[in-house]
Every structure is written in C-alpha cells, then in structure tokens.
Amino acid sequence: EINYLKEIELSYNTITSKGFSMLVNSLLESKNNNIIKINVSGNKLDDDCIESFGELIQNNQIFKNIDISNNNITDKGIEILLPYLIGNITIKYLGISYNKGITDKSIPLLKEIIHKSSIEKININDTSITEEEREEIEFALSIPIDKREIPLITIGNVKSASKIMNE
C-alpha cells in the first residue's frame, strides 16, 4: 500500500514539472501522509510544479527533509513555496542549491520562512545569491527555534504550535 511510503528518492531522473506534478497529485489522492524525505534534485523541475508540491507539504505534516536542488527553480518558485512553509514545525532541511534562478530577491522570503518555521538548514550553495546575503541566511538560521515566532496553522481542524515555540 502506498500509505507506507516514507522516502521518495528520485534525484537525477530527468523528471519534468509536469511529471512531478502528476506524482504529487497521485500522492495527494492516495492521502499518503507519511513521507519524511523527498529528494528530486537534478531533474528538470521549474516553478510550474511548486504550487502542487506546496499542497503536498501542507497535507503531509511530517516532512523533515526536502531537496529540490539542481533544477530550474527561480525566485518565483520560492515565492510560491513560502506560504506552504510558514508555520511548518517538522521540516528541518530545505535544499535549493544549484538553482541559478534563485537570487538576492529571495532573501526576504527565505528569512521569513526561517523566522516562521523550524527549518535548521537551507542549502543555498551555487544559487545566484551573493556572499553578503548568504551570511544573512546563516545568521537567520542561527536563531534558536524556541526564539522564532512560528504562527499557528490549522491542519484539518487542529491548530499546531504556539506563537513562540517552547520545546
């Protein structure tokens, strides 16, 4: 049964956004809410698949590790992803490296994601983000999770987290 799927490892398979969106829609239809890790780095994904991927993240509140590195994701993709990561208390790692379309324009968005989630590491190596702005991300990530203002989100009819997390 597909509900027991915990990790999806599909790196370097030349998957397109259309193909990935079809996979995501199948996972959403199957109500598979047990995925901890997804790696789709090194494919042909672009911003077109980010909204459906965001819905998967929103419906699967146990994701810990997401890697969309080495694709064609841009600042627009980060903007689309933002509302799906705000308030998330399970994701610890977000890999977006080697996406050259991600620039300094994404810095305020990435900082907001960090301040309003429990992400501990964002890999931004080999994006188009400047060194100065990389340091901003590192500084934001150094803020302890219990000092971040993670907003309440509703999953089904249950509210998660508290205004400031106290673990």
Side-chain angles (χ1 to χ4, degrees), residues 49-114:
C49 66
I50 299 297
E51 192 165 351
S52 60
F53 186 42
E55 289 175 25
L56 182 65
I57 292 168
Q58 194 171 49
N59 284 294
N60 186 6
Q61 289 293 318
I62 64 168
F63 266 120
K64 286 185 174 26
N65 186 313
I66 294 172
D67 197 341
I68 55 174
S69 300
N70 203 7
N71 280 291
N72 299 309
I73 310 299
T74 71
D75 294 326
K76 183 176 189 276
I78 300 300
E79 187 178 347
I80 295 166
L81 196 57
L82 178 125
Y84 298 106
L85 296 178
I86 298 295
N88 188 291
I89 57 170
T90 61
I91 297 171
K92 303 297 179 198
Y93 175 81
L94 176 63
I96 57 173
S97 62
Y98 293 94
N99 282 296
K100 296 292 184 189
I102 298 175
T103 71
D104 288 354
K105 287 182 187 167
S106 285
I107 294 299
L109 305 173
L110 292 170
K111 285 169 65 175
E112 185 177 355
I113 290 167
I114 293 165

